[in-house]
Amino acid sequence: MAGEGKCGMAWSVNPVEILAALLVLINIALVAKRSVWNYPFGIVAVALYAFLFFGAKLYSDMLLQGFFLVLNLYGWVNWRRSQVDAGEVVVLTLGWPARAAWLAGCGVAIWGWGALMHRFTDASLPWWDAGVAITSVAAQLLLSRRILENWVLWIAVDVVAVPLFAVRGLWFTAGVYVVLLGLSLWGLIDWHRASARHRAVA
């Protein structure tokens, strides 16, 4: 796999990449349905992707998997608590000032992390990679906190990640992100409906 990542041209697919991608698809489908059982699939997937991204020299995405592991554990506890307290995973939303703050924070963090990767590593496409990594961290944190706007960030990540992974030879993963884009759109619509229902009841 490391050789495929370096040349960026191979079309063969590592079976570990296939397994990781399938786990991610199951994970996101369960997230869209607001099922707490998404988390075991997500935890295994991030471990596998850490290995894959190291071989492809996508260091920001490799380190990202460590954050995902922590956030998956946090989200599992948070979602389960909401399920016990309210009988379901309750969807929350941000106000416009909070949305602006999150976007600004992402922009600053992407610039800073990309600069570090460019200066101190041989990372491929450091700012592009940093954009996917930082936005994914923000999206996962919002998802763990059950906040609707996580899907908007995931949609942005999916759009940018498809060409990034294709360029690095991770063709199967790039294809999976096309599917994830569709799942993210579904998740946004479904969570919006759930949020509206909860507000109506409240």
Side-chain angles (χ1 to χ4, degrees), residues 81-162:
R81 184 181 297 120
S82 175
Q83 189 178 52
V84 169
D85 292 344
E88 65 173 339
V89 176
V90 177
V91 176
L92 307 175
T93 60
L94 298 175
W96 282 106
R99 291 171 181 170
W102 274 90
L103 288 176
C106 284
V108 172
I110 289 168
W111 179 86
W113 188 255
L116 287 174
M117 290 294 104
H118 176 69
R119 176 67 177 82
F120 296 108
T121 77
D122 61 343
S124 302
L125 308 168
W127 279 280
W128 197 356
D129 188 26
V132 170
I134 295 299
T135 306
S136 295
V137 169
Q140 186 67 35
L141 181 55
L142 290 175
L143 187 153
S144 299
R145 296 173 60 189
R146 299 175 283 113
I147 295 175
L148 173 68
E149 285 80 2
N150 84 86
W151 292 112
V152 176
L153 295 184
W154 281 127
I155 290 168
V157 168
D158 296 337
V159 169
V160 174
V162 171

Side-chain angles (χ1 to χ4, degrees), residues 14-42:
N14 188 313
V16 176
E17 183 183 357
I18 295 175
L19 177 58
L22 291 175
L23 289 173
V24 167
L25 290 176
I26 295 170
N27 168 248
I28 299 302
L30 291 172
V31 169
K33 295 174 63 177
R34 292 179 296 131
S35 170
V36 173
W37 291 107
N38 80 84
Y39 284 105
F41 293 96

Side-chain angles (χ1 to χ4, degrees), residues 41-116:
F41 293 96
I43 289 170
V44 177
V46 299
L48 294 176
Y49 267 119
F51 171 77
L52 288 169
F53 291 141
F54 176 78
K57 297 174 70 172
L58 294 172
Y59 301 132
S60 292
D61 279 305
M62 179 194 70
L63 294 173
L64 170 65
Q65 306 313 306
F67 286 104
F68 275 174
L69 177 61
V70 174
L71 291 176
N72 269 284
L73 294 171
Y74 166 71
W76 200 345
V77 173
N78 191 310
W79 280 41
R80 181 58 182 159
R81 184 181 297 120
S82 175
Q83 189 178 52
V84 169
D85 292 344
E88 65 173 339
V89 176
V90 177
V91 176
L92 307 175
T93 60
L94 298 175
W96 282 106
R99 291 171 181 170
W102 274 90
L103 288 176
C106 284
V108 172
I110 289 168
W111 179 86
W113 188 255
L116 287 174

